[in-house]
Amino acid sequence: MIDALIGGTLHAAAVGKTASNGKPYATAKVRAAVGTESVFVNVICFDATECAALLALSAGEPVSLAGELTPKVWTPANGEPRPVLDMVAHAVLTTYAVQRKRKAVEPKAQHSKGTAQARQQRAAMDSLEPLDDGGTLL
């Protein structure tokens, strides 16, 4: 088992299934670029949040996954052996999640930034000496 973080595109839409014990899970196939080649990663996740994130994506959309990775070899009926990876995903990160997190943090960051800027401007104004009325500015 290897702890890994992979990024790639969803090869086909994820599929939601139910295990024999009644718990839901999701499977997907991700195409990850390795130089000029690409490798397929067979993904399975069991956590409801990660399953929902994976199921919300369409084929071709980018995704990043973290979890347990197992390297394997796949040999087609009439071809050369090819590498393939199996992953049990513990975390799924999509562009939608990033956008949602940025929007959630953005108003707080702008508010605190504006407050800090206002404090800095007031401090700068307080530290200025008054201008002499008879002088000229160049």
Side-chain angles (χ1 to χ4, degrees), residues 2 8 11 28-29 39 41 54 56-57 72 86 95 114 118-119 132:
I2 302 168
H11 181 67
K29 188 172 283 209
V39 65
V41 182
L54 207 53
L57 297 175
K72 294 187 176 184
D86 289 347
T95 55
R119 275 189 246 134
D132 183 17

Side-chain angles (χ1 to χ4, degrees), residues 1 4 18 42 46-47 65 69 73 76 97 101 104 108 122:
M1 188 255 322
T18 304
N42 298 313
F46 299 100
D47 185 70
L65 303 153
L69 192 70
V73 176
K101 286 182 180 183
K108 294 175 187 174
R122 281 193 299 265

Side-chain angles (χ1 to χ4, degrees), residues 9-32:
T9 56
L10 209 56
H11 181 67
V15 178
K17 299 179 181 181
T18 304
S20 59
N21 64 1
K23 293 190 177 187
Y25 67 97
T27 61
K29 188 172 283 209
V30 174
R31 185 177 183 159

